Amino acid sequence: LLEGHDDLERVIAAPLRRARRTGERSRGVRDLLRFLGRLRAFRADVALDLMGNHKGAVIARLSGARRRLGLARAARREASSALWINQPVAADGEHAVDRMLAVARALGLPSEPPDFAPERLACGRDRIASGDFAYLHPGAAWGNKRYPPPLWGAVARELTSRTGLAVRVGAAPGEEALAEEVAAASGGAAARIDLPDLPSLAGALRGARLVLAGDTGALHLAEALGRPVIGLYGPTDPARHGPRSPRALALATRLPCSFCHRRMAVAKPCMLALDPVEVAARAAELVALD
């Protein structure tokens, strides 16, 4: 995702997942050792741990940096990972972006509004999808973050009726059947688009008039790329994880169980209560403003 970013001199990717996969472990271990060699050769003076868990904090420690900054123990995802940093920073604000910027301010940088600077992010520049379309991303890591395909299909039908836009349904690897189910439920309003890698996804997002998704990476990348976005929220709190740009809306239904931050296999009442007609209406309003 960060390869070719205008503000980065070097990207050193950590191949952590391959080392855990059955059948790829020997290659993964070799790649991991090669990564650690490149990391130490960089001779970092400062490391910022923005993950707040053992994975990020251990990498910061292995970098050899004498100053290792990260959120203080009480604000970390894994409190005991504070062991690996030596300059804890108090969390400032509720939203995840503000909390991360607090770590940067601890370096003496000025306090400024968040700016994702999409013109500096190179990913997907050479794969921009063409056409006048709304992009819909049905996948998410948690089952209860996923708006059900019949409801997404109803959103697509209503959005096309209101705006005339075609709807493309993104199919990330392993989510082809999910995207096909949404397209089938749309009655012809939506069509599947296969996105085998991050540049393909970024290209589709760059070309879209509007992006609709749950609380997942595609939504946040779309906002970073400056696209109008509609985020559907249930188990996670949009006040902490929602899009905040002037051309973004986070839709949620407040129930006694809302924002539980618990991973579950299927959508729960907090997501099911979101009316597809209302979702499409709000999306059409954003399109009209673009």
Side-chain angles (χ1 to χ4, degrees):
L1 181 61
L2 296 175
E3 287 287 355
H5 195 291
D6 291 345
D7 286 335
L8 299 178
E9 294 181 7
R10 193 176 310 178
V11 174
I12 306 174
L16 300 181
R17 291 184 179 178
R18 182 180 294 154
R20 298 197 300 265
R21 291 176 186 157
T22 303
E24 294 188 64
R25 287 175 183 164
S26 60
R27 180 184 172 190
V29 169
R30 289 195 300 270
D31 288 348
L32 189 58
L33 293 174
R34 191 176 300 115
F35 157 73
L36 291 174
R38 294 179 64 201
L39 183 65
R40 293 305 293 263
F42 181 67
R43 300 179 64 83
D45 298 300
V46 179
L48 307 182
D49 165 32
L50 303 182
M51 298 183 72
N53 60 11
H54 282 285
K55 180 166 59 176
V58 167
I59 289 175
R61 178 66 181 85
L62 292 173
S63 74
R66 291 189 176 185
R67 295 181 66 193
R68 301 182 299 279
L69 289 75
L71 292 178
R73 183 184 182 92
R76 299 178 71 81
R77 290 167 57 189
E78 296 173 4
S80 60
S81 66
L83 168 71
W84 304 105
I85 63 171
N86 59 13
Q87 191 172 337
V89 178
D92 183 9
E94 183 179 4
H95 198 278
V97 172
D98 295 326
R99 292 158 68 89
M100 297 304 100
L101 288 176
V103 179
R105 286 194 292 273
L107 287 173
L109 300 175
S111 179
E112 297 179 350
D115 180 5
F116 293 106
E119 70 280 359
R120 297 173 186 247
L121 189 64
C123 188
R125 282 180 187 164
D126 59 344
R127 301 199 198 180
I128 298 177
S130 61
D132 200 20
F133 67 95
Y135 174 84
L136 191 159
H137 195 90
W142 301 1
N144 53 332
K145 286 184 178 182
R146 297 175 194 156
Y147 200 48
L151 298 183
W152 271 133
V155 170
R157 290 196 306 273
E158 184 70 18
L159 182 59
T160 296
S161 174
R162 288 173 179 262
T163 66
L165 287 175
V167 178
R168 298 186 184 181
V169 185
E175 296 177 349
E176 293 83 1
L178 178 62
E180 225 19 87
E181 194 175 348
V182 174
S186 75
R192 165 181 151 187
I193 176 174
D194 290 335
L195 305 171
D197 51 32
L198 275 171
S200 299
L201 171 60
L205 298 175
R206 286 179 185 274
R209 287 276 302 279
L210 172 76
V211 174
L212 303 95
D215 180 15
T216 189
L219 179 77
H220 305 301
L221 178 55
E223 184 184 22
L225 290 170
R227 306 314 306 141
V229 300
I230 295 274
L232 275 53
Y233 281 74
T236 53
D237 188 350
R240 184 166 182 175
H241 301 288
R244 300 189 301 174
S245 73
R247 299 194 297 168
L249 288 175
L251 304 181
T253 302
R254 289 191 174 272
L255 302 174
C257 57
S258 291
F259 316 144
C260 65
H261 288 269
R262 293 175 58 194
R263 181 191 295 256
M264 299 180 190
V266 296
K268 297 297 180 180
C270 53
M271 290 293 281
L272 299 176
L274 293 170
D275 179 10
V277 174
E278 176 64 16
V279 172
R282 303 300 297 276
E285 292 171 3
L286 272 185
V287 170
L289 293 173
D290 187 30

